[in-house]
Amino acid sequence: MKTAIKGILAALTTPFEDEKIVLEKFGENIQKFNRTGLAGYVVMGSTGEAPFVDDHESELLVKEARRAASDDKIIIAGTGRDSAEWTVKLTNRLAEAGAEAALIKPPYYYKSRMNYEALKAYYTEVADRVKIPVILYNIPQNTQIWLPIDLVVELSSHPNIIGLKESGGSLAYLGEVVSRVSPEFMYLTGSGSILFPALEMGARGAILALANVVPELCVRLYELYQAGNREEARKLQYRVIPLNRALTETYGIPAIKYALDLRGYYGGPCRTPLLPPDEKVRETIRKFLQELA
Amino acid sequence: MKTAIKGILAALTTPFEDEKIVLEKFGENIQKFNRTGLAGYVVMGSTGEAPFVDDHESELLVKEARRAASDDKIIIAGTGRDSAEWTVKLTNRLAEAGAEAALIKPPYYYKSRMNYEALKAYYTEVADRVKIPVILYNIPQNTQIWLPIDLVVELSSHPNIIGLKESGGSLAYLGEVVSRVSPEFMYLTGSGSILFPALEMGARGAILALANVVPELCVRLYELYQAGNREEARKLQYRVIPLNRALTETYGIPAIKYALDLRGYYGGPCRTPLLPPDEKVRETIRKFLQELA
Amino acid sequence: MKTAIKGILAALTTPFEDEKIVLEKFGENIQKFNRTGLAGYVVMGSTGEAPFVDDHESELLVKEARRAASDDKIIIAGTGRDSAEWTVKLTNRLAEAGAEAALIKPPYYYKSRMNYEALKAYYTEVADRVKIPVILYNIPQNTQIWLPIDLVVELSSHPNIIGLKESGGSLAYLGEVVSRVSPEFMYLTGSGSILFPALEMGARGAILALANVVPELCVRLYELYQAGNREEARKLQYRVIPLNRALTETYGIPAIKYALDLRGYYGGPCRTPLLPPDEKVRETIRKFLQELA
Amino acid sequence: MKTAIKGILAALTTPFEDEKIVLEKFGENIQKFNRTGLAGYVVMGSTGEAPFVDDHESELLVKEARRAASDDKIIIAGTGRDSAEWTVKLTNRLAEAGAEAALIKPPYYYKSRMNYEALKAYYTEVADRVKIPVILYNIPQNTQIWLPIDLVVELSSHPNIIGLKESGGSLAYLGEVVSRVSPEFMYLTGSGSILFPALEMGARGAILALANVVPELCVRLYELYQAGNREEARKLQYRVIPLNRALTETYGIPAIKYALDLRGYYGGPCRTPLLPPDEKVRETIRKFLQELA
């Protein structure tokens, strides 16, 4: 396993046509991404319409990702279901299919019950029983749950929990976690709007929806920072924020897919209930892309 | 299909042991419930740990419910997944297995996108494509989504949408929906604490977690109301509210299962991450049950 | 003090013109309301733009209300500020000015700190130190705080706390409070959409924004219920729900004031930042009023 | 007016004893703070229990702050009330008393109405009518309102709006605002946990609760950053995060006041309903302070 994840990973979209998965388009997208400096791919992250895809389809997607990805790209699968039992079953099935690590969001349907002890029990049981390493996933926008900082620190010493993707966008959270866990624990930001300050605060890398649409810019920002060129990194960060906000907050996955279509990848429609962007949204996306070209 | 649902249905718990489903306990519970005045059963409702159970397990549960239930009891299955596609697939599979209607909560992972049009598209596509009637399911405690009243009214004219289970507990919502839809549309409350006033405002019946634990009292309250004995109905309503709040709000499914164990049914543990009730919770439940005995 | 509040009270609007209070319009409205069957008036409730009005203005409003109101109408003042100290000071000043009871919402700026003990300390200190009786006020729409049921029950035994206005609209809450407090404790609903079922569950009366606009209908509904005519009460309840939802949920105080203008009272503008209703809103309000005429 | 605010300002606590303001303690604290490198003071910010203090008391506090502060320290007053009218009246009264700028949070009681247009109307009317410059204040923890980025950008061109204090802690927000407004517009972070990355992203300074308790460390972090010593700035940032989280998130103002007492300032009790910290909280605060000593 390439446990030393760093740099930029793309949280891939899942291609559909008439509500069905189009595997070949998925593979073609990945082959194009192979030519970029991306470090790897997340299949069935939040950008991948994960809760829209059943277990069998998930397996097909991971197999295709592994087949299409070049050898140097890590494949991480989003495998979180609401019970530990189901999550373990799905994770091990996707490990067989080629996933090298599992990105696992917290259970969130019974959120009033998801206190420290419940979340600890869930992640511990899952990490104990799955065959690939676990990456914790904090995404309060969708789950209404913040993984408690103390819990992340406690879980970071589990031998099979190797990192955290944090999509809430809090650098206070980042700073406290990074300063309290061992250096091997990988902190990855999930927000393309704070990549630069997250690296400055100690993040190892990022898993980004934005890296679907403008992978080159995300990688360049990372490299500028690595090269110590903060001034240019900050400027590039400023430049991508408006597009990133449009794609991830204001308009969501339908807009990401539209942007992919514009950029020469396959975007296509989402599954219902995510509806196509209207012309006003499309115009906004075109404008932001042109400004970045 | 017994479309004329009325009276009290129980939202059944799903029996587990060591994280595995115990089908025979599920059947035994149902056989005991057959002797009560319950009108039917919901399999994999929110009380049934629905998001913890995969598609194959769901099929086994519905088959067992159909096998164990007496002929006069309707079997409704919770079949909502986040995409229309997956929901259709699961619903039709469970229809084959014996489900007579589908109770479908709204998609809620991408909740910032779940506006009127998205929810309408979801329910319309699902209702168009499934082989059994659809019951809408409003449960904002878990989904953070209120189905808009105007949407419920609009969807009520779809030939394959036959009713609504409303668990948010709003009688204003009830009053407006009932007065704007046709009399055939079935409004069912999902809260055992407001059964009496819900009937008074026009609800046809109820699907209740409480009806697992004290089915006799729920049925008696319904019958008192039907008989025009509002004074006794109100008194009985007052008596069950504290237990219902403890079971459904304060402590949740682990407490419901403990109460089932006390009442001679199989409760057992939940799947992780729902943790067993501690002694203080158990004592509270025992006390409330004794007061109702 | 007319502690035996029952029936329907109006939560009055506060008349403004060019951002200034227009006291004479306030008095004229009250004189018109005197001819209805309303039991009294709330000055500076949530409908009265309470947080927009300073202490001196509050005093003028209470004095004018007392002057204009007929003797049989009780005057209740909204006096809740965020600290006990300020609330006590304002309450006693308004008691001098003629307020007969104080309606007190919980402090809500530091809401993450407003646990059981903090709310208990607040209400206890206030009730100990003010010269008029206190009515608790649950309005989670605006405060994001639900007064815990157990706290309401505990506070109900304080000699200077005489009742509760509950605007969250929960009949489960109503049922549990009413069945656990002494019969002298006055439970008043704050929602015109659930007046009928609230009375059925044990409410003593109501404080309603809706009672500004259609006081006659609110009073008639109350009287129908008192006379045992549930069928007509339910029908009337259904009829007023759409208007009430428009006024209190969808459009708010600017729409209430527009409706007052249409009904021959003074409505006028709100203080900034509450903006005037646009023509689409005004048309909706006109339509609902015509349907009720 | 010292419009060129930069560096670190303390959001002062308000000293009470037996629920009454103790002005001399307020002055003594400020005289001690005068010896630090703080750039100024905020009177009646969120840390100052602003909603607990009436208009007359606010005036006394500002006068005392102006009297006690050395000439080089700017005095900013929190003056936001829910209506523009009241806010203008209070702001101009406090301008007379010595406030040099006004920090104004959005109205939040009628938050479902506080859309873009309402907030724009509020801030525009206030800024037009007050005699001192306005600083916008984004504090969603307490108000549940995020000032829209586009609104901040639009308001930044108002001649009497000079900056923004952002306490939500979002660096994406910071990055977008800073890159879209003129360089004169002052972006101040309100979170002591992200001071370092906020400066890196373009913040001009900070208004901090933390700067009450450890003003020296806050100033040192700022100076390290100004000197280009990012490594040490980051390390110091890590060190203060746990204390800052305890003071501002986990325990709040009562803990800040306890820490002030330990550090040789006057902390004292809060007004009811903010209750004194228990021994466990006090021990945590002592521990964090010792680790920083």
Side-chain angles (χ1 to χ4, degrees):
Chain A
M1 223 284 309
K2 310 159 190 115
T3 44
I5 302 168
K6 60 180 182 173
I8 308 298
L9 293 87
L12 300 178
T13 61
T14 300
F16 296 106
E17 198 177 344
D18 293 331
E19 308 281 347
K20 304 299 176 197
I21 290 178
V22 197
L23 273 186
E24 58 272 30
K25 297 297 184 188
F26 190 54
E28 288 169 23
N29 279 352
I30 289 172
Q31 282 160 343
K32 289 174 187 164
F33 287 129
N34 283 340
R35 292 171 220 140
T36 67
L38 291 174
Y41 310 116
V42 170
V43 183
M44 287 161 320
S46 298
T47 307
E49 300 174 53
F52 291 2
V53 171
D54 72 20
D55 295 2
H56 175 62
E57 293 170 328
S58 300
E59 186 181 349
L60 298 178
L61 286 165
V62 169
K63 281 185 175 165
E64 178 64 12
R66 189 61 284 170
R67 190 197 63 73
S70 48
D71 285 351
D72 58 323
K73 312 292 192 191
I74 186 169
I75 302 291
I76 299 172
T79 67
R81 302 290 191 198
D82 264 43
S83 62
E85 183 70 17
W86 192 356
T87 300
V88 167
K89 205 189 298 185
L90 178 59
T91 303
N92 284 334
R93 183 171 175 179
L94 299 187
E96 291 288 314
E100 293 163 88
L103 178 66
I104 301 183
K105 63 179 175 294
Y108 59 100
Y109 188 66
Y110 302 108
K111 63 180 58 59
S112 64
R113 305 260 97 71
M114 291 303 106
N115 57 19
Y116 192 103
E117 288 306 319
L119 292 167
K120 179 180 167 182
Y122 173 81
Y123 278 113
T124 302
E125 182 172 336
V126 169
D128 284 349
R129 293 173 55 196
V130 296
K131 296 169 187 166
I132 48 176
V134 168
I135 299 169
L136 308 173
Y137 187 10
N138 188 55
I139 180 157
Q141 304 95 307
N142 289 350
T143 63
Q144 282 73 52
I145 291 172
W146 279 88
L147 296 180
I149 287 175
D150 294 341
L151 178 62
V152 172
V153 172
E154 181 173 359
L155 290 173
S156 75
S157 63
H158 189 290
N160 202 28
I161 296 179
I162 61 169
L164 167 76
K165 177 186 179 188
E166 201 292 281
S167 294
S170 167
L171 286 204
Y173 191 99
L174 196 174
E176 184 162 351
V177 170
V178 164
S179 63
R180 290 175 58 190
V181 299
S182 85
E184 286 75 38
F185 188 81
M186 290 172 289
Y187 196 106
L188 306 168
T189 182
S191 164
S193 292
I194 59 165
L195 177 54
F196 164 58
L199 293 169
E200 188 72 294
M201 274 288 261
R204 184 85 73 87
I207 297 173
L208 303 177
L210 185 67
N212 280 280
V213 176
V214 286
E216 305 82 359
L217 295 183
C218 296
V219 170
R220 195 197 310 166
L221 201 163
Y222 177 75
E223 290 172 350
L224 283 167
Y225 181 78
Q226 294 301 114
N229 193 340
R230 287 183 171 89
E231 195 56 38
E232 290 302 311
R234 183 189 301 111
K235 279 186 195 163
L236 182 51
Q237 181 68 81
Y238 287 166
R239 287 183 64 213
V240 299
I241 287 178
L243 174 65
N244 188 59
R245 180 157 71 101
L247 293 177
T248 61
E249 265 186 65
T250 320
Y251 305 123
I253 303 174
I256 294 172
K257 289 189 159 182
Y258 177 68
L260 281 174
D261 283 327
L262 292 175
R263 294 270 300 151
Y265 299 92
Y266 181 84
C270 294
R271 272 191 168 161
T272 304
L274 288 179
L275 304 180
D278 63 23
E279 175 49 24
K280 188 168 149 288
V281 175
R282 292 198 300 267
E283 192 187 326
T284 304
I285 299 301
R286 285 195 301 270
K287 191 189 64 136
F288 281 138
L289 280 180
Q290 280 159 8
E291 288 170 6
L292 284 172
Chain B
M1 226 284 308
K2 308 156 191 125
T3 46
I5 302 167
K6 58 179 185 176
I8 308 298
L9 293 86
L12 299 179
T13 61
T14 300
F16 296 106
E17 199 177 344
D18 293 331
E19 307 281 348
K20 305 297 176 198
I21 291 179
V22 197
L23 273 187
E24 59 272 29
K25 297 297 182 187
F26 190 55
E28 287 170 21
N29 278 352
I30 290 172
Q31 282 161 342
K32 288 175 188 165
F33 287 130
N34 283 339
R35 293 171 218 141
T36 68
L38 291 174
Y41 310 115
V42 170
V43 183
M44 288 163 316
S46 298
T47 308
E49 301 174 52
F52 292 1
V53 171
D54 72 20
D55 294 3
H56 174 63
E57 292 170 329
S58 299
E59 186 181 351
L60 298 178
L61 286 165
V62 168
K63 281 185 175 163
E64 178 64 13
R66 187 62 283 167
R67 191 197 63 72
S70 49
D71 285 352
D72 58 324
K73 312 294 190 190
I74 186 170
I75 302 291
I76 299 172
T79 67
R81 301 292 191 196
D82 264 44
S83 63
E85 184 70 19
W86 191 357
T87 300
V88 167
K89 206 190 298 185
L90 178 60
T91 304
N92 284 335
R93 183 171 175 178
L94 299 187
E96 291 289 314
E100 293 164 271
L103 178 66
I104 299 183
K105 63 179 174 296
Y108 60 100
Y109 187 66
Y110 302 108
K111 62 180 59 63
S112 64
R113 307 258 97 73
M114 292 302 106
N115 58 18
Y116 192 104
E117 288 307 319
L119 292 167
K120 179 180 166 183
Y122 172 81
Y123 278 114
T124 302
E125 184 172 333
V126 168
D128 283 350
R129 293 172 56 194
V130 297
K131 298 170 183 165
I132 48 176
V134 168
I135 299 169
L136 308 173
Y137 186 11
N138 189 55
I139 180 156
Q141 304 95 306
N142 290 349
T143 63
Q144 282 74 53
I145 292 171
W146 278 88
L147 295 179
I149 288 176
D150 294 342
L151 177 63
V152 171
V153 171
E154 182 174 357
L155 290 172
S156 75
S157 64
H158 188 289
N160 202 28
I161 296 178
I162 62 169
L164 168 75
K165 176 185 180 189
E166 202 292 281
S167 294
S170 167
L171 287 202
Y173 192 101
L174 196 172
E176 184 162 351
V177 170
V178 164
S179 64
R180 290 175 60 190
V181 298
S182 85
E184 287 75 37
F185 188 79
M186 291 173 289
Y187 196 107
L188 306 167
T189 182
S191 164
S193 291
I194 61 165
L195 177 55
F196 164 59
L199 293 169
E200 188 72 294
M201 274 289 261
R204 185 85 73 86
I207 297 174
L208 303 177
L210 185 68
N212 280 280
V213 176
V214 287
E216 306 83 359
L217 295 184
C218 296
V219 171
R220 195 198 309 165
L221 200 163
Y222 177 76
E223 290 172 349
L224 284 167
Y225 181 78
Q226 294 302 114
N229 192 339
R230 286 181 172 87
E231 195 57 38
E232 290 302 312
R234 182 188 302 110
K235 279 186 197 164
L236 182 51
Q237 181 68 79
Y238 287 165
R239 286 184 62 215
V240 300
I241 287 178
L243 174 64
N244 189 59
R245 179 157 71 100
L247 293 177
T248 61
E249 267 186 63
T250 319
Y251 306 122
I253 303 174
I256 293 172
K257 289 188 159 181
Y258 177 69
L260 281 173
D261 284 327
L262 292 175
R263 294 272 298 150
Y265 299 92
Y266 180 84
C270 294
R271 272 192 170 162
T272 304
L274 288 179
L275 304 181
D278 63 23
E279 175 49 25
K280 185 167 153 289
V281 174
R282 294 198 299 266
E283 190 186 326
T284 303
I285 299 301
R286 286 196 300 270
K287 189 189 67 137
F288 281 138
L289 280 181
Q290 280 159 7
E291 287 169 8
L292 284 172
Chain C
M1 223 284 311
K2 305 150 192 131
T3 44
I5 302 167
K6 60 180 183 175
I8 308 297
L9 293 87
L12 299 178
T13 61
T14 300
F16 296 105
E17 200 177 343
D18 293 331
E19 307 282 347
K20 306 296 177 199
I21 290 179
V22 197
L23 273 186
E24 59 272 28
K25 296 297 182 188
F26 190 54
E28 287 169 23
N29 279 352
I30 290 171
Q31 282 160 343
K32 288 174 188 165
F33 287 130
N34 282 340
R35 293 170 218 140
T36 67
L38 291 174
Y41 310 117
V42 170
V43 183
M44 289 161 318
S46 297
T47 307
E49 302 174 50
F52 292 1
V53 171
D54 72 20
D55 295 2
H56 174 63
E57 292 171 329
S58 299
E59 186 181 352
L60 298 178
L61 286 165
V62 168
K63 281 185 176 162
E64 178 64 13
R66 187 62 285 166
R67 190 198 63 74
S70 50
D71 285 351
D72 57 323
K73 312 292 191 193
I74 186 170
I75 302 290
I76 299 172
T79 67
R81 301 289 190 199
D82 263 44
S83 63
E85 184 70 17
W86 191 358
T87 301
V88 166
K89 206 189 298 185
L90 177 61
T91 303
N92 284 335
R93 183 170 176 179
L94 300 187
E96 291 289 314
E100 293 164 272
L103 178 66
I104 300 183
K105 63 178 175 297
Y108 60 100
Y109 187 66
Y110 301 108
K111 62 180 58 63
S112 64
R113 305 260 98 72
M114 290 302 106
N115 59 18
Y116 193 103
E117 288 307 319
L119 292 167
K120 179 179 166 184
Y122 172 82
Y123 278 114
T124 302
E125 183 172 334
V126 169
D128 283 350
R129 293 172 55 195
V130 297
K131 297 170 185 165
I132 50 177
V134 168
I135 299 169
L136 308 172
Y137 186 11
N138 188 55
I139 181 157
Q141 304 97 305
N142 290 349
T143 63
Q144 283 73 54
I145 291 171
W146 278 88
L147 296 179
I149 288 176
D150 294 340
L151 177 63
V152 172
V153 172
E154 182 173 359
L155 290 172
S156 75
S157 64
H158 188 289
N160 202 29
I161 296 179
I162 62 170
L164 168 76
K165 177 186 179 189
E166 202 292 281
S167 294
S170 167
L171 288 202
Y173 191 101
L174 196 172
E176 184 162 351
V177 170
V178 164
S179 63
R180 290 175 58 190
V181 298
S182 86
E184 286 76 35
F185 188 80
M186 291 173 290
Y187 196 106
L188 306 167
T189 182
S191 164
S193 291
I194 60 163
L195 177 54
F196 163 59
L199 293 169
E200 187 72 293
M201 274 289 262
R204 185 84 74 86
I207 297 174
L208 303 177
L210 186 67
N212 280 279
V213 176
V214 287
E216 306 83 357
L217 294 184
C218 296
V219 170
R220 195 198 310 165
L221 200 163
Y222 177 76
E223 291 172 350
L224 283 167
Y225 181 78
Q226 294 302 114
N229 192 340
R230 287 181 172 87
E231 194 57 38
E232 290 302 312
R234 183 189 302 110
K235 279 186 194 165
L236 182 50
Q237 180 68 82
Y238 287 165
R239 286 183 63 214
V240 299
I241 287 178
L243 174 65
N244 188 59
R245 179 157 71 99
L247 295 177
T248 61
E249 265 185 63
T250 319
Y251 305 123
I253 304 173
I256 294 172
K257 289 187 160 182
Y258 177 70
L260 281 173
D261 284 325
L262 292 176
R263 294 272 299 153
Y265 299 91
Y266 180 84
C270 294
R271 272 192 168 160
T272 303
L274 289 179
L275 304 180
D278 63 23
E279 174 50 25
K280 188 169 151 286
V281 175
R282 294 198 300 267
E283 191 187 326
T284 303
I285 299 301
R286 286 197 300 271
K287 191 190 65 139
F288 280 139
L289 281 180
Q290 280 158 9
E291 287 170 7
L292 284 172
Chain D
M1 220 285 307
K2 308 155 191 123
T3 44
I5 302 168
K6 59 180 182 172
I8 308 298
L9 293 86
L12 299 179
T13 60
T14 300
F16 296 106
E17 199 177 344
D18 293 332
E19 307 281 345
K20 305 298 177 199
I21 289 178
V22 197
L23 273 186
E24 59 273 30
K25 297 297 182 189
F26 191 54
E28 287 169 22
N29 280 351
I30 289 172
Q31 282 160 342
K32 288 175 188 165
F33 287 129
N34 283 340
R35 293 171 219 143
T36 67
L38 291 173
Y41 310 116
V42 170
V43 183
M44 288 162 317
S46 298
T47 307
E49 301 174 53
F52 292 1
V53 171
D54 72 20
D55 294 2
H56 174 63
E57 293 170 328
S58 299
E59 188 182 349
L60 299 178
L61 286 165
V62 169
K63 281 185 174 162
E64 177 64 13
R66 187 62 284 166
R67 191 197 62 73
S70 49
D71 285 351
D72 58 324
K73 312 292 191 190
I74 185 169
I75 302 290
I76 299 173
T79 67
R81 302 291 193 197
D82 264 43
S83 63
E85 184 69 18
W86 192 357
T87 300
V88 166
K89 205 188 300 183
L90 178 60
T91 303
N92 284 334
R93 182 171 177 179
L94 299 187
E96 291 289 316
E100 292 163 89
L103 178 66
I104 301 184
K105 64 180 175 294
Y108 59 100
Y109 188 66
Y110 301 109
K111 62 180 58 62
S112 64
R113 306 260 96 72
M114 290 303 106
N115 58 20
Y116 192 104
E117 288 307 318
L119 293 167
K120 179 181 166 181
Y122 173 81
Y123 278 113
T124 303
E125 184 172 335
V126 168
D128 283 350
R129 294 172 56 195
V130 297
K131 297 169 186 166
I132 48 176
V134 168
I135 299 170
L136 308 173
Y137 186 12
N138 188 55
I139 180 157
Q141 303 95 308
N142 289 350
T143 63
Q144 283 73 53
I145 292 172
W146 278 89
L147 296 180
I149 287 175
D150 294 342
L151 177 62
V152 171
V153 172
E154 183 173 357
L155 291 172
S156 75
S157 63
H158 189 290
N160 202 27
I161 296 179
I162 61 168
L164 168 75
K165 177 186 179 189
E166 202 292 282
S167 294
S170 167
L171 287 203
Y173 191 100
L174 195 173
E176 185 163 351
V177 170
V178 164
S179 62
R180 291 175 58 190
V181 298
S182 85
E184 286 75 39
F185 189 80
M186 289 173 292
Y187 196 107
L188 305 168
T189 183
S191 165
S193 292
I194 60 164
L195 177 54
F196 164 59
L199 293 169
E200 187 72 295
M201 274 289 261
R204 184 84 74 87
I207 297 173
L208 303 177
L210 185 67
N212 280 280
V213 176
V214 286
E216 305 82 0
L217 295 183
C218 296
V219 170
R220 193 196 312 166
L221 201 165
Y222 177 75
E223 291 172 348
L224 284 167
Y225 181 78
Q226 294 301 115
N229 193 340
R230 285 180 171 91
E231 195 57 38
E232 289 302 311
R234 183 189 301 112
K235 279 187 195 163
L236 182 51
Q237 180 68 79
Y238 286 166
R239 286 184 63 213
V240 299
I241 287 178
L243 173 65
N244 189 58
R245 180 158 72 99
L247 294 177
T248 61
E249 266 187 62
T250 319
Y251 305 123
I253 303 173
I256 294 172
K257 289 189 159 182
Y258 177 69
L260 281 174
D261 283 326
L262 292 176
R263 294 269 300 149
Y265 299 92
Y266 180 84
C270 294
R271 274 192 167 160
T272 304
L274 288 179
L275 303 181
D278 63 23
E279 175 49 25
K280 186 167 152 288
V281 174
R282 292 197 300 266
E283 190 187 324
T284 303
I285 299 301
R286 285 196 301 269
K287 190 188 65 133
F288 281 138
L289 280 180
Q290 281 159 6
E291 287 170 6
L292 284 172

